[in-house]
Amino acid sequence: MKIFTSGARCVGSQIERIEEGFLQLGHEITTDITSAGLVYANNAWYDEIIEAKKAGKIKGKIVFTVLDLAPHVPDFPVQKLKEQLVYADHICTISKFVQQDLKNRAGFDSTVIYQPIKKVYRTGIKKHNFKAMLVGRVNDPAKKAVESVQALIAAGLNGGDVITVGREQPFYGGAWANSVNDEVLNEIYNSVDFVMCMSTSEGMGLPALEAMSVGAVPVLPRDLTTREEFFPTQVFPEYEFVKDAETAKDFMLTLMRDKERMCEMKTRLVNHFERFWRENLNGDGVAKKILEVVK
């Protein structure tokens, strides 16, 4: 099948990983939307595809993936989203939280198909001297990097212990790696004990899941929208006590002061990822599930 894809393209973008999955399953990626048997988009908005549909250029099935409805943004244009989604043959969402939020706020049913994480995995090799990591849009207030930094300082970690990865130069200074390829990112994930993920509103929360896959400990609050879905209380009861910078500091110090406890939690994280999430969070698995929805 010929497949036309649309989505944000940058270092480590999800759409490129999904394309790799389609290719490995024997399909063809095309830039000609008129010849595509499947048109797939994980954009925030779908204007290009809708215009092509109105012009009669699309003959194949249309699948739109909703990343989130930004519940932390009071004026999120729900009405625009509703007007666009009627053009889809199938609607997907990237977590159970987004699925329910879309149903409640826009009235659409959807199928949960997760987005693929970056190609990171546990190596057990520490190539850098950093102890903690911040990753992603650290200057976005919704990511609550301020709380993460407060927790790190309170736990006794200084600028030399922390590295920030992402396109945004951090306001708090310290080591900044900018955007990096998967190989370097994997080295950093495997070198740190903690990955700071203190935001409460996420469609998925990819850095926390990438941390889990390598056995770095994500520091996340109990009221994260997807926390129970990916880090259930019955497996990770520790997160029930993390709610702000002070309790995040206590969470980290408990592990920093007890090496056996730290090792046990890292192993628990990797085992949980391998058991429940590896297939759901790689390009092949995501592409396969998209095709199953179409069929």
mmCIF file of all heavy atoms in Angstrom, residues 169 284 288:
data_model
loop_
_atom_site.group_PDB
_atom_site.id
_atom_site.type_symbol
_atom_site.label_atom_id
_atom_site.label_comp_id
_atom_site.label_asym_id
_atom_site.label_seq_id
_atom_site.Cartn_x
_atom_site.Cartn_y
_atom_site.Cartn_z
ATOM 1 N N GLN A 169 17.267 26.624 24.878
ATOM 2 C CA GLN A 169 18.317 26.889 25.848
ATOM 3 C C GLN A 169 17.670 27.154 27.200
ATOM 4 O O GLN A 169 16.807 28.027 27.317
ATOM 5 C CB GLN A 169 19.164 28.085 25.429
ATOM 6 C CG GLN A 169 20.342 28.328 26.362
ATOM 7 C CD GLN A 169 21.311 29.348 25.791
ATOM 8 O OE1 GLN A 169 21.083 29.891 24.722
ATOM 9 N NE2 GLN A 169 22.389 29.604 26.501
ATOM 10 N N ASP A 284 7.447 -0.069 14.493
ATOM 11 C CA ASP A 284 6.787 -1.219 13.880
ATOM 12 C C ASP A 284 5.435 -1.494 14.530
ATOM 13 O O ASP A 284 4.426 -1.717 13.850
ATOM 14 C CB ASP A 284 7.663 -2.474 14.023
ATOM 15 C CG ASP A 284 8.922 -2.390 13.189
ATOM 16 O OD1 ASP A 284 9.194 -1.318 12.633
ATOM 17 O OD2 ASP A 284 9.632 -3.403 13.104
ATOM 18 N N LYS A 288 1.795 -1.078 12.724
ATOM 19 C CA LYS A 288 0.939 -2.266 12.616
ATOM 20 C C LYS A 288 -0.457 -1.996 13.161
ATOM 21 O O LYS A 288 -1.471 -2.374 12.559
ATOM 22 C CB LYS A 288 1.585 -3.430 13.372
ATOM 23 C CG LYS A 288 0.811 -4.733 13.292
ATOM 24 C CD LYS A 288 1.553 -5.839 14.041
ATOM 25 C CE LYS A 288 0.778 -7.149 13.994
ATOM 26 N NZ LYS A 288 1.487 -8.233 14.742
#
